[in-house]
Amino acid sequence: MSLTLRTISREQHLGFIQSQPAASHCQVPAWADVKTEWRSENLGWFDKNGELVGVGLVLYRQLPKIKRYLAYLPEGPVINWHAPNLDDWLQPMLAHLKQQGAFSVKMGPPVVIRRWDSAAIKSGIQDPDVKRLKDVEATHIEPRAFEVADRLRKMGWQQAEDGGAGFGDVQPRYVFQVPLANRSLDDVLKGFNQLWRRNIKKAEKAGVEVVQGGYEDLAEWQRLYEITAVRDHFRPRPLSYFQRMWTVLNNEDPNRMRLYFARHDGVNLSAATMLVVGGHVWYSYGASDNIGREVRPSNAMQWRMLRDAYAMGATVYDLRGISDSLDETDHLFGLIQFKVGTGGEAVEYVGEWDFPLNKLLHKALDIYMSRR
């Protein structure tokens, strides 16, 4: 199959994404407007009949002082990753990006390699010899994903260092998802552990209400998010980031981003943002106050978001990044513990891959990044 690659318009790019069952929110054209510190380009792959068969959002980050760029395709490109001729897809892309002044290319194939169901994770947590997810036998292994990884290695791509739990600009390798396809809401609720079901009931009894917010409520979101940042020791993004995100994503598709609050006696106790692309729904950012935890606002909010995702016809509700640590003393352990209660599954992607077009500059970037 001979493929040609060229720059396409945002409209063409969006049209292709809309024709797919799902794609990452990091690959929709408007994501470029969220990431203003990067220059962007929309790429399209065409077959010999001139039909658009794949797209990619490329973000370019300039190296300090020189006109050379890191080209990044977060959770992309959106192509047929299982094509036997993967070279024919990726070689034209590398040639094009090199022409654009890229010294290194980073991409995140949206290819799942392993899945662990909740029961497997729980038994891993209970086993004192198990410290990491990969020490637990996977419930499902995708053999074709190993072929993709082999092909990439043969082409000269290098597996990037793990991005940890998906904080900052690197995309998470491990995520937690609740599958919704071919399940009733009743099945989904039954899949929750006892503690989650108890907490959902507790919130209901206490009169916690979950409401959707709009652009004008982002300042209130920011208040809760900054409380969370202090408690969990991370640097919060500014309010302007979320305002921009809301505006550009919802201009592209009015249902792309949503905002939820769980409140009790008129006081907002927790909040979350949700992103939607086709049948894939993400719980994106979460925040909560230090007060009112006894009425379980976060459980109530997640259950409402999951129900809304289900009503939209979503096939998966994605709780985003987790660490692969099953060690109870690890500071990120609480994250997987909270998410595993939903009865979903831990999912491992093939991770991010780098192609150094200029080995010297690629090495310099590595050193620069490790010092930050």
Side-chain angles (χ1 to χ4, degrees):
M1 177 159 113
S2 61
L3 292 164
T4 52
L5 177 132
R6 61 175 181 268
T7 306
I8 55 172
S9 70
R10 290 176 66 132
E11 291 69 34
Q12 284 172 294
H13 184 139
L14 182 61
F16 184 82
I17 295 278
Q18 286 167 337
S19 75
Q20 302 299 297
S24 168
H25 60 85
C26 302
Q27 281 294 306
V28 300
W31 193 250
D33 304 326
V34 176
K35 299 290 172 189
T36 47
E37 68 277 27
W38 302 70
R39 179 167 73 82
S40 69
E41 186 184 15
N42 307 82
L43 295 182
W45 280 259
F46 294 84
D47 66 13
K48 59 177 186 300
N49 304 321
E51 197 176 326
L52 185 62
V53 288
V55 296
L57 174 68
V58 188
L59 302 174
Y60 294 98
R61 173 72 72 92
Q62 193 175 341
L63 264 189
K65 300 190 177 78
I66 55 170
K67 274 215 135 99
R68 299 301 292 278
Y69 303 88
L70 165 67
Y72 183 31
L73 294 97
E75 297 185 14
V78 185
I79 60 173
N80 177 7
W81 283 98
H82 298 296
N85 59 332
L86 198 51
D87 279 45
D88 296 353
W89 291 84
L90 297 179
Q91 290 307 346
M93 179 181 88
L94 288 173
H96 175 85
L97 297 175
K98 193 171 188 173
Q99 268 180 333
Q100 297 294 308
F103 66 88
S104 187
V105 180
K106 184 187 272 296
M107 65 177 183
V111 176
V112 170
I113 200 159
R114 293 183 191 86
R115 296 176 189 272
W116 294 262
D117 65 19
S118 292
I121 302 166
K122 276 179 209 147
S123 67
I125 291 170
Q126 283 154 7
D127 184 338
D129 296 332
V130 168
K131 292 286 178 246
R132 305 227 158 255
L133 207 44
K134 50 176 163 289
D135 302 334
V136 179
E137 196 177 332
T139 326
H140 177 79
I141 289 177
E142 183 49 72
R144 293 189 311 166
F146 292 93
E147 289 167 28
V148 172
D150 283 345
R151 284 192 190 123
L152 292 175
R153 270 188 211 99
K154 285 195 181 103
M155 280 181 239
W157 288 85
Q158 301 165 2
Q159 199 154 17
E161 292 299 307
D162 268 5
F167 303 113
D169 268 333
V170 231
Q171 299 307 318
R173 179 161 182 181
Y174 295 91
V175 300
F176 203 88
Q177 297 177 347
V178 181
L180 300 176
N182 309 317
R183 294 175 77 193
S184 70
L185 263 182
D186 216 32
D187 286 343
V188 175
L189 184 60
K190 279 186 189 135
F192 280 24
N193 70 13
Q194 253 176 322
L195 184 65
W196 261 85
R197 291 202 300 269
R198 212 167 40 233
N199 286 344
I200 290 167
K201 275 211 176 77
K202 205 180 221 174
E204 252 169 55
K205 249 197 191 115
V208 170
E209 39 158 5
V210 180
V211 295
Q212 263 185 267
Y215 180 88
E216 64 289 351
D217 301 302
L218 285 168
E220 173 64 358
W221 147 264
Q222 192 71 16
R223 179 185 74 82
L224 291 167
Y225 173 63
E226 286 178 9
I227 291 171
T228 310
V230 171
R231 186 177 64 236
D232 294 347
H233 313 291
F234 65 85
R235 201 171 74 214
R237 292 190 183 275
L239 173 60
S240 57
Y241 180 83
F242 295 102
Q243 289 173 327
R244 184 169 69 241
M245 200 172 167
W246 181 276
T247 307
V248 300
L249 292 178
N250 288 332
N251 278 349
E252 179 175 272
D253 180 328
N255 202 26
R256 185 75 82 223
M257 180 176 174
R258 291 182 174 198
L259 177 63
Y260 287 84
F261 291 98
R263 58 170 66 142
H264 184 245
D265 291 341
V267 179
N268 292 316
L269 297 175
S270 58
T273 62
M274 177 199 261
L275 298 175
V276 182
V277 183
H280 203 126
V281 171
W282 292 264
Y283 154 56
S284 173
Y285 283 88
S288 60
D289 206 330
N290 298 325
I291 57 164
R293 297 187 147 207
E294 66 288 347
V295 295
R296 306 298 176 199
S298 294
N299 299 89
M301 184 173 63
Q302 287 296 342
W303 177 228
R304 162 73 191 272
M305 289 165 73
L306 221 150
R307 293 199 318 267
D308 285 3
Y310 188 89
M312 280 186 254
T315 52
V316 64
Y317 180 72
D318 196 321
L319 289 131
R320 288 298 278 166
I322 51 170
S323 149
D324 71 332
S325 173
L326 298 182
D327 180 354
E328 294 187 20
T329 60
D330 190 299
H331 72 291
L332 291 170
F333 176 73
L335 205 58
I336 192 166
Q337 203 176 27
F338 177 74
K339 294 175 182 182
V340 90
T342 60
E345 54 191 19
V347 176
E348 180 191 2
Y349 284 91
V350 291
E352 294 197 319
W353 293 73
D354 294 323
F355 196 100
L357 292 165
N358 177 318
K359 290 194 168 62
L360 200 68
L361 287 177
H362 179 79
K363 188 93 192 112
L365 178 79
D366 269 356
I367 294 165
Y368 170 70
M369 293 308 277
S370 66
R371 285 188 184 148
R372 288 181 69 189

